[in-house]
Amino acid sequence: MANSILIIGESGAGKTTSIRTLDPKTTFIIDCDRKGLSFRGWKKMYNTANKNYIATSNLETIWGYLKRISYQDMTHIKTVIIDTLNGIMVDDEFRRMHEKSFDKWQDLAASVYGLVTDIHELRDDLTIVCTAHAQTDRDDNGYMFTHMKTSGRKLDKIVVESKFTTVLLAKADNGKYVFETHANHSTAKSPMDCFAESEIPNDLKYVIETLDKYENE
C-alpha cells in the first residue's frame, strides 16, 4: 500500500514550494495546473528531458504515468507530486461545460474519488503527495473552518480528506511558511504522535522522512 499525503492551502501559502527539498532523481511531478513550479532553478531540476515532469490534467494520462512508476519502467521514482487536484477538477468541468446533464457532476466526483482512493493500491515504497486549494467557510456565528475546495456537492459529500491519513494545511504568515499538522478549525490531521508540534517547517522531505520513520519504528 502506497503512502499518501494531502496538502491544502490558499494560493501562495507554499504548497508547491515545499517540493524544493525533494531529490529530483527520485521525484516525479504531475503539474495539473500547467503553470510550472514556484522555486528558483526548478526548470533545470524537473523537465521532460530528465523524465521527471509532465504538465497534464488528463486522468487517463495521469494513471498511465502512475502505473509506469509503480510497476513498469519508472520504479526508481519514490515520490510523486500531483499538483493540484483542483486543476484536474476544473479542467474536466470546463471541458464539459456545454453538457447540461447532471451526469457530468457524477462523473467528475467519481473520477476524483477514484484517483484519491486507488492511489493507495500502488507499490508499498511509493509516496503520493496531492496538493489542493483550501476554502475557509464562516457560519452565522462567526465560526471559521478550512477544508479542501471542491467542485460540486458530490465531492463535498465524499470528503476527500477522509481518504488520507495525513492532511497538512499550508500557511504563510509574515514571510514564514509552515504546515499545520493537527486540526485547528481545519481538516488538518496526521497519525497520532507522529508530529509533536502543531506546526512544522514547509519541507516535504522532512514530512516524508518523519512519516517513514514513524511507520517503520
Side-chain angles (χ1 to χ4, degrees):
M1 178 177 290
N3 299 313
S4 62
I5 302 168
L6 175 64
I7 300 176
I8 64 173
E10 301 290 345
S11 179
K15 300 185 299 297
T16 306
T17 306
S18 66
I19 299 168
R20 72 195 183 283
T21 56
L22 297 176
D23 183 359
K25 294 179 181 178
T26 57
T27 303
F28 190 90
I29 296 177
I30 302 174
D31 182 1
C32 304
D33 292 340
R34 304 189 305 284
K35 62 176 177 56
L37 307 182
S38 52
F39 52 89
R40 189 189 302 248
W42 76 267
K43 289 184 179 179
K44 293 182 179 179
M45 299 166 64
Y46 295 100
N47 52 63
T48 53
N50 289 340
K51 298 180 180 180
N52 62 0
Y53 174 89
I54 186 169
T56 182
S57 61
N58 183 280
L59 272 172
E60 185 176 348
T61 302
I62 291 171
W63 270 116
Y65 274 94
L66 290 176
K67 290 176 181 178
R68 287 179 61 188
I69 289 167
S70 188
Y71 311 117
Q72 300 170 12
D73 61 328
M74 299 177 69
T75 54
H76 64 285
I77 296 296
K78 303 300 181 184
T79 306
V80 178
I81 311 295
I82 300 177
D83 184 38
T84 61
L85 293 178
N86 303 90
I88 297 172
M89 291 186 285
V90 171
D91 283 359
D92 194 23
E93 182 179 342
F94 272 86
R95 276 193 291 266
R96 305 178 63 174
M97 64 185 298
H98 297 297
E99 295 182 25
K100 304 301 182 182
S101 171
F102 181 72
D103 288 345
K104 77 173 183 179
W105 299 109
Q106 292 179 308
D107 292 345
L108 174 60
S111 63
V112 175
Y113 179 84
L115 177 64
V116 299
T117 300
D118 294 345
I119 55 175
H120 300 281
E121 301 304 317
L122 299 174
R123 74 171 198 265
D124 291 348
D125 66 337
L126 192 61
T127 297
I128 312 293
V129 181
C130 298
T131 70
H133 296 295
Q135 176 177 319
T136 300
D137 297 327
R138 183 194 300 266
D139 66 17
D140 294 337
N141 297 315
Y143 178 79
M144 297 174 62
F145 189 76
T146 302
H147 57 95
M148 177 181 158
K149 187 174 184 178
T150 62
S151 297
R153 293 182 180 179
K154 286 285 184 183
L155 283 170
D156 287 339
K157 291 180 180 179
I158 289 170
V159 185
V160 175
E161 290 96 328
S162 69
K163 298 301 177 181
F164 296 83
T165 56
T166 302
V167 179
L168 304 177
L169 174 61
K171 298 169 63 177
D173 185 20
N174 294 322
K176 182 182 179 182
Y177 294 86
V178 298
F179 287 141
E180 186 175 286
T181 63
H182 300 97
N184 179 20
H185 302 292
S186 74
T187 52
K189 61 181 178 178
S190 56
M192 183 182 294
D193 300 326
C194 182
F195 297 103
E197 300 177 345
S198 60
E199 289 187 352
I200 59 174
N202 177 287
D203 181 339
L204 255 182
K205 181 181 178 182
Y206 168 77
V207 170
I208 293 171
E209 288 179 348
T210 302
L211 286 167
D212 284 346
K213 182 179 179 181
Y214 175 87
E215 291 291 337
N216 293 315
E217 282 184 345

